[in-house]
Amino acid sequence: MLTIPDHNPAIAPEHYHGLDFIRAAMMMLVVVLHSSVSFIPNSPDALWPYRDPQSTMLAPLIAIPIHIFSMATFFVMAGFFSALLYQHRGALGLIANRARSIALPLVVGWVVMFPLESASFVMGAMRSPIIAGQPTPSQMATTFLENPWANPTPNYFWFLYYLLFFYLIALVFIGFSKVVPQKICASADSLAQTFLCGRLRIVLIPTLAALTWWSMLPMSAPGIDIPDMTFIPRGIVLVSYGIYFFFGWILYRHKEFIQTLKPRAFTRFCCGVLCLIVAVGLELKWQFQLRDGQDMASDSVRTLFVVTQGAIALTSWLLILGGIGLAERWLQQTNTVVKYFVDTAFFVYLTHLPVCLLIIVLMRDWNAPGYLKMFTAIALTFTVVLLAFEAVRAVLPKQKVKSAT
């Protein structure tokens, strides 16, 4: 039984500056991730149909760690702040706020950004060698011009799309909790309290890691699959990220647990970094084995995959819980820089990908080392998108364009 915080609008909303910073940082890191993918020394594929000719092995060393923990951390934060919103505004307030802050940006953002992203990939294809078995640049251009929204996919808006399903599930549990005997709800609450702050706290991370590892075993590659190619939600991805989202929801119900994370936060975070190094090494080894022609179904590759998923699951929870403790310990109050960082994060995420792709495509003929082009693309992407944010804010001075998740 999912523990639900009681709706109580009389309680003044709390401010969690550290968690706000973490939420914003995860969205900003995805910009770095998308900027680095084009420089990974792999052939183009359906997921990312453009590669720069100057690749660098530094790119996967940046992309893989971000993919391991960024979205998982984000969903924990999303669950936490959704529970906070429910307590202070109730179910109707939660629905109204999420419709305005998530559903509307999802629809408007997708309608605007999907054709821009497609146009950027078409430009990239026009400046790249023709790949056997793939549509030619002229075919891609013709399809795009006939219908810029042809072959629709959620693309990088998938996380907003999945958030809507988690809100729906949370609302179902809220309604269900109203008819379930109070004794059952109290038992579920007591069990959560025991794991977070009681005698079972010592097995919290192993339990979370084991549960997450189990949900990740059906994935097609290390980590949690990126469900951006279809609007049909993938059940196993919902389960995997749902573990993170609803942990965040329960964390708000037992928010005193955050205080217990502060004393050993640095140690926990450092352990997470060490596990991250191991997990990245295991994932690279798995990729190299496939590149060498080994069968994914072979015992050795499958065993490596299972071990890698376990390392990734443990890494995620160590970094999440360590990061929460550090952030809430260090950011007791906001400042101008952190506030600007938090306010711009959602806008940056929504608008960055077409800008990022266009910059990388335009730099194709620049004969510079891959790592230099990659870092230049990252810097230029942030510069252009932040200038766009300032332009929007100047046009809409009374509006707050900020992170809403």
Side-chain angles (χ1 to χ4, degrees):
M1 181 67 187
L2 177 64
T3 310
I4 305 293
D6 297 326
H7 169 40
N8 189 350
I11 302 176
E14 311 92 319
H15 294 285
Y16 294 92
H17 301 297
L19 301 190
D20 264 336
F21 175 81
I22 291 175
R23 179 175 56 178
M26 294 307 104
M27 286 187 280
M28 293 290 196
L29 278 177
V30 175
V31 180
V32 179
L33 168 64
H34 287 157
S35 298
S36 63
V37 171
S38 294
F39 297 93
I40 293 177
N42 287 340
S43 300
D45 52 36
L47 191 61
W48 201 266
Y50 180 77
R51 291 289 189 273
D52 193 88
Q54 279 81 37
S55 61
T56 171
M57 272 305 297
L58 187 60
L61 294 178
I62 292 175
I64 292 175
I66 294 175
H67 175 61
I68 284 175
F69 68 83
S70 62
M71 280 295 101
T73 306
F74 169 81
F75 278 112
V76 171
M77 298 299 103
F80 182 90
F81 285 106
S82 296
L84 182 152
L85 186 63
Y86 168 70
Q87 175 160 342
H88 296 288
R89 299 192 185 183
L92 292 179
L94 174 65
I95 293 170
N97 181 276
R98 299 296 84 177
R100 182 179 65 253
S101 300
I102 300 299
L104 183 61
L106 168 62
V107 174
V108 175
W110 184 88
V111 169
V112 174
M113 292 299 162
F114 181 78
L116 293 178
E117 179 190 352
S118 299
S120 299
F121 277 127
V122 169
M123 289 183 60
M126 288 180 172
R127 305 190 68 186
S128 305
I130 296 176
I131 303 172
Q134 297 289 328
T136 65
S138 60
Q139 291 172 331
M140 294 175 64
T142 300
T143 300
F144 173 77
L145 292 173
E146 289 177 350
N147 182 5
W149 294 274
N151 304 315
T153 65
N155 61 29
Y156 68 106
F157 287 90
W158 69 264
F159 85 100
L160 295 179
Y161 186 57
Y162 273 63
L163 274 177
L164 296 180
F165 287 96
F166 292 140
Y167 299 143
L168 178 61
I169 294 170
L171 289 170
V172 170
F173 271 109
I174 289 171
F176 190 57
S177 67
K178 304 300 183 182
V179 298
V180 170
Q182 186 63 33
K183 184 177 295 186
I184 295 178
C185 293
S187 297
D189 188 64
S190 176
L191 180 62
Q193 176 73 16
T194 302
F195 267 99
L196 291 173
C197 304
R199 60 183 181 275
L200 293 181
R201 181 184 167 199
I202 193 172
V203 298
L204 175 65
I205 291 179
T207 301
L208 291 171
L211 187 61
T212 307
W213 168 77
W214 167 81
S215 74
M216 292 165 60
L217 292 180
M219 301 299 169
S220 61
I224 301 176
D225 289 347
I226 303 173
D228 63 349
M229 300 302 291
T230 175
F231 281 101
I232 301 174
R234 289 189 57 195
I236 192 61
V237 176
L238 278 172
V239 170
S240 292
Y241 281 126
I243 294 170
Y244 291 104
F245 179 89
F246 289 106
F247 174 81
W249 186 285
I250 293 170
L251 178 61
Y252 180 75
R253 176 66 179 85
H254 300 275
K255 47 188 176 290
E256 67 276 9
F257 175 60
I258 294 175
Q259 297 301 319
T260 70
L261 292 174
K262 294 180 180 180
R264 297 182 180 84
F266 186 73
T267 300
R268 194 176 293 110
F269 190 81
C270 287
C271 289
V273 172
L274 291 176
C275 286
L276 179 64
I277 294 171
V278 173
V280 171
L282 290 171
E283 181 167 344
L284 284 173
K285 183 177 180 181
W286 182 86
Q287 293 182 4
F288 290 151
Q289 287 188 352
L290 293 188
R291 192 177 303 175
D292 292 340
Q294 295 195 40
D295 186 357
M296 286 184 63
S298 67
D299 290 341
S300 60
V301 175
R302 184 61 188 172
T303 299
L304 178 59
F305 176 81
V306 171
V307 172
T308 303
Q309 294 293 65
I312 289 173
L314 180 60
T315 296
S316 295
W317 286 110
L318 285 170
L319 290 178
I320 288 169
L321 296 180
I324 289 173
L326 286 177
E328 281 297 309
R329 190 171 75 188
W330 291 343
L331 292 174
Q332 297 293 324
Q333 58 185 10
T334 191
N335 57 57
T336 303
V337 174
V338 172
K339 185 178 185 304
Y340 185 79
F341 181 79
V342 170
D343 287 349
T344 58
F346 194 48
F347 180 88
V348 169
Y349 187 94
L350 291 178
T351 60
H352 78 279
L353 189 54
V355 175
C356 165
L357 290 170
L358 180 60
I359 288 171
I360 293 172
V361 169
L362 292 177
M363 292 196 306
R364 183 178 180 87
D365 295 332
W366 180 24
N367 191 23
Y371 68 87
L372 180 58
K373 295 175 72 173
M374 179 178 64
F375 287 125
T376 301
I378 293 171
L380 289 176
T381 299
F382 276 113
T383 300
V384 171
V385 174
L386 289 175
L387 287 174
F389 174 84
E390 291 299 329
V392 171
R393 189 161 65 170
V395 173
L396 303 172
K398 296 181 179 180
Q399 302 295 322
K400 290 186 177 181
V401 184
K402 62 181 182 178
S403 176
T405 50

